[in-house]
Amino acid sequence: MPRRKSEAGLEPNRRAELLRAAARLFVDKGFAATTTRDIAEAVGMRSGSPFYHFRSKQELLKEAMIDGLEAGRERLLAAIAGVADPERRLYVLVRTHLGTLLEADCNSPMLLNETRSLDVAARAEIAAAFDRYQAPWQATLDELAARGRIASAAAPLRLLLFGMLNWSGRWYRPDGPLTVDQLADSAVALLLGRRSPDLSRA
Amino acid sequence: MPRRKSEAGLEPNRRAELLRAAARLFVDKGFAATTTRDIAEAVGMRSGSPFYHFRSKQELLKEAMIDGLEAGRERLLAAIAGVADPERRLYVLVRTHLGTLLEADCNSPMLLNETRSLDVAARAEIAAAFDRYQAPWQATLDELAARGRIASAAAPLRLLLFGMLNWSGRWYRPDGPLTVDQLADSAVALLLGRRSPDLSRA
DNA sequence: CCTACCGATCGGTAGG
DNA sequence: CCTACCGATCGGTAGG
């Protein structure tokens, strides 16, 4: 069921619409299993039309990933602005990240999966965007390590942290027994070595 | 470059060979991006021949996943046999799981990703196999919780744990600075709330 | 397990 | 952004 016909150029940003639809489909079905026809149909276009906006299916993926990471980064920076206490800041980072992953309609971190579908040049762009996304995390972990609240801000800890958060995109169900707030609490408690007994019944 | 011709039935188990090749390719390129021709070629068959052993590409995936989970489970059970202390047993579980994931040539847990490509019946079989895989973990976590060494053995903790372990399949490089032993140490230290200062330089 | 093949689908393009 | 289309590839099958 196609949407209304576009009025010859009056449509402001079909490109952004395509990117959102593509991101959603890539997350749900995977890059290879998603058809450019699926994407076109999702925004009410004909099969060839996405190629008026993007050179290739790969470019659609690359742009969707970079846009998603950049939007996520801006959400992070806005959320931690003025949060001086590093423990509190870690919580805000975790909660905001889980929000992007589990609540926003474009859970971009899950797309990191699909980097393998890109060529070397595009991979480098993704890596750079992900580094920017990681920067506020690294700063906060460094601060926590300096104060002795975590053992180390070195690679293993940061990667284990992203692992436990990102994997939740695979199993978390919004209609399940666990709220995103509770999940964020559990993750932070685990990281900071607290017992968080209030969650033992979740 | 095809292998030698099979001598009419003397070949014992081409089926298992196909499953190993399929698992490897599915992990590396993803299910949808892997061609049944890729799989055939990997074991020196012609394009149509895998369908002599398997009804469909989906069946190949399902069998590869179940075999992988079952093999992983047997490795787990063998490794923890006779390990009475639950903290030590947790370490052995983590280390063995990481071995399956990062060292064995069939890192089956990564295939859990591809469950979405299966129909409902097959998904139920996978879920059952994964439950069997999880059983020894749950028992150990319950024991640790009963002794107060972790806050809770409820869902969030177990899922966060699998998350941080499984995600490592995405970034871990055997030729990198981190050994699998060190990674296992970091993960267990995080879980049990220890500081593990010996890893602060990794 | 191979040969030979089919129908369907897919990414992408020409030309407007 | 649509119409109309192409070449390539893919999962799967018949028949031996």
Side-chain angles (χ1 to χ4, degrees), chain B residues 14 45-46 49 52-53:
Chain B
R14 302 286 273 153
M45 285 180 185
R46 301 303 180 139
S49 301
Y52 171 76
H53 297 277

Side-chain angles (χ1 to χ4, degrees), chain A residues 43-92:
Chain A
V43 301
M45 284 181 186
R46 301 302 179 137
S47 68
S49 302
F51 296 98
Y52 170 75
H53 297 275
F54 297 93
R55 252 190 294 274
S56 67
K57 192 185 169 190
Q58 270 84 7
E59 189 179 293
L60 220 22
L61 173 60
K62 189 194 74 179
E63 297 291 317
M65 291 181 69
I66 290 182
D67 278 21
L69 284 171
E70 208 53 45
R73 190 179 82 102
E74 278 158 28
R75 288 190 63 194
L76 283 185
L77 294 181
I80 63 173
V83 179
D85 177 57
E87 291 199 27
R88 174 75 193 156
R89 202 182 326 126
L90 178 66
Y91 175 80
V92 172

